[in-house]
Amino acid sequence: MSYLQKSPWIIHYDASSCNGCDIEVLACLTPLYDVERFGILNTGNPKHADIFVITGGVNEINKEVVQNIYEQMPHPKVVVAVGICACSGGVFKECYNISGGVATVIPVDVYVPGCAARPESIIDGIVQALGILEQKRNTMKAGAEGTV
């Protein structure tokens, strides 16, 4: 974790899950799993977030909300799809109102499968996202230095 330049902030959005994955995401914040030991903070404002953690399959009603949250986040940003519903649509994939997984609406960097995804898996996915975030930061920094 020493390669991180700042503490990453995450924003969590429940697209349309059964709340199983949401409970596990919140469990990551409890003292038992303590994701804050990595410097990760949960925020409610997408303009402050570096990592977008999303659970549940995307439906027609919240498709615009997901896109709006994603577009409000500053660059670089990483998206983590938590749970099988966020990854592929899960058991609701064939429902009339489900568009599918998160990748049908926005680009996804890390997939954390499971029904419900375990807190250990979620933390592992977020740590992977931290590496991707730092790579994107370095790429942006190199691109900005090349234009000056």
Side-chain angles (χ1 to χ4, degrees):
M1 304 303 294
S2 61
Y3 57 86
L4 295 177
Q5 294 183 1
K6 74 176 204 82
S7 294
W9 288 22
I10 65 170
I11 185 166
H12 169 240
Y13 180 73
D14 173 14
S16 62
S17 73
C18 67
N19 292 333
C21 291
D22 299 319
I23 291 169
E24 300 298 338
V25 168
L26 294 177
C28 293
L29 300 170
T30 64
L32 181 61
Y33 296 102
D34 192 21
V35 76
E36 289 184 0
R37 71 178 180 257
F38 299 117
I40 298 167
L41 299 173
N42 192 19
T43 182
N45 188 343
K47 294 177 182 171
H48 297 159
D50 302 301
I51 301 172
F52 187 10
V53 177
I54 186 165
T55 57
V58 177
N59 62 33
E60 295 300 322
I61 295 171
N62 65 19
K63 185 186 293 188
E64 290 180 26
V65 175
V66 171
Q67 290 172 333
N68 192 14
I69 292 171
Y70 180 78
E71 290 168 4
Q72 288 183 45
M73 292 176 64
H75 290 284
K77 53 190 162 193
V78 177
V79 177
V80 179
V82 174
I84 196 65
C85 293
C87 292
S88 67
V91 297
F92 306 107
K93 186 176 185 175
E94 301 297 325
C95 290
Y96 71 95
N97 66 332
I98 296 292
S99 301
V102 178
T104 60
V105 180
I106 58 174
V108 175
D109 298 293
V110 179
Y111 292 92
V112 181
C115 184
R118 302 279 306 145
E120 297 91 345
S121 301
I122 296 169
I123 292 171
D124 184 53
I126 290 174
V127 169
Q128 288 179 26
L130 295 177
I132 294 169
L133 182 65
E134 199 58 32
Q135 287 175 349
K136 288 184 176 184
R137 273 199 186 113
N138 292 337
T139 303
M140 280 182 61
K141 188 176 179 182
E145 290 174 356
T147 59
V148 175

